[in-house]
């Protein structure tokens, strides 16, 4: 096939919205958005949406996508943000909701499910349940091992609050038995692979391993406080901390997001940033072994993250080094076209607010070779070294990093609709809201970002109480296989098209629902394999042992007609069948007109 015309992939650019919402300063945005976020979170918990008491619903959206479920991860992170508010002395009325959440988790733990059952705790790795607290039986990326760890962290936070405020009966009778199951789960299973927080990559992720370390470390302290044995938690916390170090990629000065089958799956991912802020402990200073927000490793990651996303979206056009940009999950993301997310853009701000808090608290900041690129963004020539708070370098950097952090909030502010309601994503082309509406996790990220900016830091959890044991780092994850889902790789060359920024005009559509059920508007987008001509691919999760038909199409004008169908020899459809386990790579196709 000859190249006759190179069609630009950013064909949608022509439809860039001209009107942009009024920009707002980060402070006034967060102050205005915070009560809206809190109200929407409460609306998404329990009976309002027909859910069981204490069930945190991910979003009221029932189609495109259907998020009317409770995810262990989203629920735990959300409740942790509520507990931090209560612990900071406000919103005592949230306590009954928090306790309802805690109680219903005990019920969820006991539900047998596709991930496993309660007797060997394997069932705790199930990522999501129906909102009436029953088993979800559909195909899914499971197990996900961050859930029990994140839930343990929410429980410990509330447990410490309740003990301090004379509610030890609730802690010993209700909270501890449920918490213990989660800690035992992490102890037993942390070193088996699972799906990452985005539910796409099977392996070990920085996010999950970091959450496991935190859960075991603070869980051990909490167990001791209640007079229970904690040695098994401490022992595994040491192993987890050892393994966590393998995510630091010295040669590329980066934190790897996912490691699977002994290899790096993905380097720059905002899930890592979400993990960094989850692991924040203001008493740990800028400790690099625990990847504290102000550590040189975490700042190098921040620099890599922004550099990755700056050229990715038309929305970021014109932004230069040292200016905030809209942040998505990772490059080449194809989920809902891989737009920026509210919570990942806010996470980039929150990491910096956490860092600023620590630098001001300790009265200095250190620049190392690892963090030099990050600190070089702010208009002055900097060298490695430690700068005291009285120095002009410290003052200049702190002032400008705060402005930089505010910039991420201002982007979210700009693309928040006037009613303050947050979806999951906003279009990388024009900033309009995309994917699930009223996403609980988006709102939770507003609460934590506002707290971080206001210097209301969560309680210390003993991040540096465990040391990386020298010569003892022997445990690493072993691979587990999910036979419930088959990763199917679709690839096609189409030399009429250029590819860049991970987007394309080429889609696959087929006769099963995962492939859009022959509806071209529900077809799945392929992404460019490199910023060159012609090769596109994507991995789609399909159920095992399923026969399906499919065809590639071109949509040259986004979702608008006309759609060009590939001319498959013989005029028929392509056919394939997924195996009962493992994965499937389909033969590379060529688009014929
Ligand atoms: C794609 O390229 C072929 C030649 O290889 C050409 O005949 C055809 O018109 C092109 N299609 C489009 C939509 O540009
Ligand atoms: C469920 O529990 C039983 C023991 O009662 C155990 O033998 C079995 O392997 C568990 N099932 C799964 C799927 O883990
Ligand atoms: C719980 O919800 C699921 C999914 O909506 C539904 O299929 C099931 O019948 C419900 N079970 C009960 C006991 O209400
Ligand atoms: C904004 O871009 C999205 C694609 O990201 C598109 O679906 C939508 O129609 C656009 N809206 C406007 C107002 O241009
Ligand atoms: C996983 O951890 C267990 C201890 O909990 C250990 O027995 C096992 O060898 C570990 N596996 C790997 C591959 O590290
Ligand atoms: C899709 O096509 C395959 C192959 O023709 C067929 O076996 C299967 O039943 C079809 N599935 C649906 C949902 O139509
Ligand atoms: C739908 C489904 O697979 N449920 C499973 C839940 O877990 C139990 C115990 O492991 C299985 O027996 C069920 O099949």
């Amino acid at each position: 096939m000859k190249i006759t015309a190179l069609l630009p992939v950013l064909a949608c650019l022509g439809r860039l919205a001209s009107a942009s919402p009024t920009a707002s300063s980060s402070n006034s945005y967060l102050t205005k958005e915070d009560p809206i976020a809190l109200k929407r979170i409460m609306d998404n918990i329990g009976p309002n949406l027909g859910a069981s008491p204490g069930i945190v619903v991910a979003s009221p959206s029932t189609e495109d996508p259907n998020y009317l479920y409770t995810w262990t991860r989203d629920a735990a992170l959300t409740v942790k943000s509520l507990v931090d508010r209560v612990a900071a002395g406000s919103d005592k009325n949230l306590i009954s909701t928090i306790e309802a959440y805690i109680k219903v988790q005990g019920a969820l733990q006991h539900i047998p499910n596709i991930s496993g059952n309660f007797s060997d705790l394997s069932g705790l790795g199930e990522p999501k349940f129906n909102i009436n607290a029953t088993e979800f039986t559909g195909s899914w990326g499971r197990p996900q091992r961050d859930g029990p760890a994140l839930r343990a962290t929410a429980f410990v936070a509330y447990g410490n609050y309740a003990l301090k405020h004379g509610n030890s009966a609730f802690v010993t009778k209700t909270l501890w038995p449920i918490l213990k199951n989660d800690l035992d789960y992490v102890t037993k299973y942390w070193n088996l692979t699972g799906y990452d927080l985005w539910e796409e990559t099977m392996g070990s992720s920085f996010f999950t391993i970091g959450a496991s370390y935190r859960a075991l470390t603070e869980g051990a302290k909490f167990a001791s406080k209640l007079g229970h044995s904690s040695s098994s938690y401490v022992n595994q916390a040491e192993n987890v901390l050892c393994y966590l170090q393998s995510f630091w990629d010295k040669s590329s000065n980066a934190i790897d997001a996912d490691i699977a089958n002994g290899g790096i799956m993905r380097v720059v991912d905002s899930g890592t940033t979400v993990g960094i802020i989850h692991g924040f402990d203001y008493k740990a200073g800028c400790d690099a072994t625990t990847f504290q927000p102000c550590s040189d490793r975490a700042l190098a990651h921040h620099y890599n993250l922004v550099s990755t996303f700056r050229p990715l979206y038309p929305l970021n056009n014109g932004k230069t080094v040292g200016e905030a940009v809209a942040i998505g999950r990772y490059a080449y993301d194809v989920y809902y076209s891989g737009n920026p997310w509210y919570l990942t853009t806010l996470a980039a701000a929150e990491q910096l607010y956490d860092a600023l808090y620590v630098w001001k608290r300790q009265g200095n900041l250190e620049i190392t070779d690892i963090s030099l690129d990050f600190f070089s963004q702010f208009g002055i020539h900097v060298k490695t070294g430690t700068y005291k708070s009285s120095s002009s370098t410290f003052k200049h950097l702190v002032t400008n990093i705060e402005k930089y952090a505010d910039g991420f909030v201002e982007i979210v502010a700009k693309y928040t609709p006037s009613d303050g309601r947050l979806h999951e994503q906003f279009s990388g082309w024009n900033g309009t809201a995309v994917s699930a509406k009223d996403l609980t996790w988006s709102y939770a990220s507003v609460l934590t970002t506002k707290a971080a900016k206001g210097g209301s830091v969560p309680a210390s959890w003993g991040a540096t109480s465990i040391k990386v044991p020298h010569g003892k780092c022997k445990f690493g994850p072993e691979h587990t296989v999910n036979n419930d889902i088959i990763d199917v790789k679709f690839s096609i060359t189409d030399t009429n098209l250029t590819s860049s920024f991970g987007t394309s005009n080429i889609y696959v559509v087929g006769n099963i629902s995962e492939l859009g059920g022959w509806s071209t508007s529900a077809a799945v987008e392929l992404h460019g394999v490199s910023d060159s001509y012609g090769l596109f691919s994507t991995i789609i999760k399909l159920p095992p042992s399923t026969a399906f038909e499919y065809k590639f199409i071109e949509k040259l004008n986004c979702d608008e007609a006309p759609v060009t169908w590939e001319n498959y020899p013989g005029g028929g459809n392509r056919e394939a069948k997924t195996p009962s386990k493992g994965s499937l790579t389909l033969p590379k196709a060529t688009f014929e007109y």
Side-chain angles (χ1 to χ4, degrees):
M1 187 189 273
K2 274 182 267 148
I3 301 168
T4 52
L6 293 175
L7 303 165
V9 292
L10 295 179
C12 313
L13 248 182
R15 301 195 296 159
L16 215 140
S18 52
S20 69
T22 30
S24 133
S25 86
S26 59
N27 256 333
S28 66
Y29 172 73
L30 290 171
T31 304
K32 190 168 158 234
E33 186 65 16
D34 181 85
I36 297 172
L38 183 60
K39 178 184 185 304
R40 293 288 166 199
I41 288 174
M42 298 310 280
D43 284 353
N44 285 356
I45 301 180
N48 304 300
L49 292 171
S52 303
I55 288 286
V56 181
V57 180
S59 150
S61 173
T62 54
E63 57 181 16
D64 197 20
N66 182 357
Y67 275 13
L68 197 73
Y69 294 98
T70 184
W71 269 266
T72 308
R73 167 183 40 260
D74 299 36
L77 289 169
T78 300
V79 170
K80 170 68 165 50
S81 75
L82 300 181
V83 173
D84 286 346
R85 272 177 106 89
V86 172
S90 55
D91 301 311
K92 295 238 160 37
N93 58 319
L94 299 176
I95 287 177
S96 58
T97 301
I98 293 167
E99 294 192 351
Y101 160 80
I102 288 171
K103 285 180 195 147
V104 79
Q105 301 311 303
L108 295 181
Q109 285 180 339
H110 283 79
I111 298 172
N113 58 68
I114 299 173
S115 293
N117 57 41
F118 182 74
S119 72
D120 61 6
L121 296 177
S122 52
L124 275 60
E126 176 65 13
K128 74 186 235 195
F129 293 86
N130 295 325
I131 63 168
N132 58 9
T134 61
E135 179 195 13
F136 166 70
T137 55
S139 284
W140 209 251
R142 58 167 66 92
Q144 294 177 22
R145 305 190 191 281
D146 58 339
L150 299 171
R151 185 163 56 193
T153 287
F155 272 52
V156 169
Y158 186 68
N160 280 324
Y161 173 84
L163 288 179
K164 214 160 111 189
H165 292 83
N167 197 0
S168 59
F170 180 80
V171 173
T172 53
K173 286 202 194 97
T174 306
L175 184 147
W176 169 252
I178 304 169
L179 169 59
K180 181 178 185 303
N181 296 332
D182 282 336
L183 295 175
D184 290 347
Y185 176 90
V186 179
T187 301
K188 185 169 177 185
Y189 293 109
W190 74 268
N191 71 355
L192 298 182
T193 53
Y195 279 85
D196 70 329
L197 81 164
W198 305 136
E199 317 194 282
E200 292 175 357
T201 305
M202 182 67 166
S204 294
S205 72
F206 173 86
F207 179 85
T208 298
I209 297 297
S212 302
Y213 173 66
R214 175 169 182 166
L216 292 175
T217 302
E218 63 185 343
K221 283 173 52 168
F222 192 75
S224 301
K225 206 171 179 175
L226 297 183
H228 298 295
S229 160
S230 63
S231 57
S232 62
Y233 305 145
V234 173
N235 287 341
Q236 287 305 332
E238 288 182 354
N239 292 333
V240 181
L241 185 58
C242 271
Y243 182 62
L244 188 62
Q245 306 315 306
S246 37
F247 288 86
W248 175 245
D249 193 335
K250 239 189 216 163
S251 59
S252 49
N253 213 24
I255 304 172
D256 297 332
D258 292 285
I259 299 176
N261 298 324
I264 298 161
M265 292 275 298
R266 181 174 297 136
V267 181
V268 181
D269 186 317
S270 61
T272 299
T273 313
V274 179
I276 287 166
I277 59 181
H278 178 73
F280 175 46
D281 180 345
Y282 74 98
K283 286 193 180 165
C286 298
D287 178 59
T289 57
T290 58
F291 296 85
Q292 289 303 309
C294 59
S295 66
D296 53 3
R297 292 175 172 183
L299 295 172
H301 172 72
H302 197 283
Y303 177 82
N304 293 337
L305 186 74
V306 174
S307 307
T308 299
F309 282 98
R310 188 182 299 114
L312 219 53
Y313 305 125
L315 218 55
N316 293 337
N317 280 352
K319 296 293 173 80
T320 59
V321 168
E323 279 186 275
V325 301
I327 304 281
R329 301 192 303 176
Y330 50 85
Y332 300 118
D333 186 4
V334 293
Y335 185 61
Y336 281 82
S337 304
N339 291 296
W341 287 38
Y342 293 105
L343 75 94
T344 55
T345 304
L346 286 177
E350 187 172 338
Q351 182 192 335
L352 300 180
Y353 292 138
D354 290 346
L356 287 158
Y357 181 89
V358 174
W359 289 325
K360 288 176 190 168
R361 180 172 188 267
Q362 68 189 20
N364 66 63
L365 66 77
E366 191 191 3
I367 302 176
T368 69
D369 285 334
I370 292 170
S371 57
L372 190 59
D373 282 345
F374 173 82
F375 285 108
S376 297
Q377 300 178 98
F378 306 105
I380 52 167
H381 179 70
V382 290
K383 286 190 282 207
T384 58
T386 299
Y387 298 89
K388 286 205 176 120
S389 56
S390 54
S391 69
S392 58
T393 301
F394 181 98
K395 285 177 192 157
H396 176 91
L397 288 174
V398 160
T399 304
N400 284 280
I401 292 170
E402 183 149 11
K403 270 190 207 150
Y404 184 45
D406 289 343
F408 294 95
V409 178
E410 282 155 19
I411 288 168
V412 166
K414 183 169 176 184
Y415 300 115
T416 296
S418 56
D419 59 5
R421 299 177 76 155
L422 298 178
H423 281 51
E424 177 179 69
Q425 310 177 18
F426 51 103
S427 162
W429 278 262
N430 56 39
T432 55
V434 180
S435 185
K437 64 182 176 185
D438 288 322
L439 187 78
T440 307
W441 193 0
S442 294
Y443 292 128
S445 74
V446 170
L447 304 193
T448 56
T449 304
K450 177 171 188 287
K453 178 164 171 65
S456 172
V457 295
S460 167
W461 56 274
T464 49
S465 61
I466 295 203
K467 300 286 168 228
V468 180
H470 289 291
K472 234 191 96 183
C473 290
K474 56 183 180 223
F475 294 133
E478 46 195 45
H479 197 63
T480 45
V481 180
N482 175 9
N483 290 334
D484 177 41
I485 267 188
I486 308 296
D487 284 334
V488 181
K489 184 168 184 181
F490 295 80
S491 324
I492 187 161
T493 34
D494 183 344
T495 42
N496 283 35
L497 299 177
T498 55
S499 95
S500 73
F501 308 145
T503 61
S504 76
N505 305 89
I506 197 150
Y507 295 71
V508 60
V509 64
N511 73 334
I512 54 176
S513 59
E514 291 82 356
L515 299 176
W518 289 131
S519 156
T520 57
S521 60
V524 184
E525 188 180 8
L526 276 68
H527 56 90
V529 171
S530 63
D531 282 359
S532 62
Y533 301 145
L535 180 61
F536 302 88
S537 79
T538 193
I539 291 175
I540 303 176
K541 294 180 187 308
L542 300 182
S545 309
T546 303
F548 60 97
E549 296 176 18
Y550 65 105
K551 244 177 161 170
F552 295 96
I553 57 173
E554 265 182 16
K555 298 198 216 179
L556 295 185
N557 195 13
C558 296
D559 283 335
E560 284 167 23
V563 164
T564 308
W565 289 80
E566 68 163 323
N567 183 10
Y568 187 59
N573 301 321
R574 297 176 185 272
E575 285 185 29
K577 186 179 176 187
T578 56
S580 61
K581 52 185 166 183
S583 61
L584 172 67
T585 299
L586 294 169
K588 197 194 290 174
T590 301
F591 200 99
E592 300 287 354
Y593 290 86

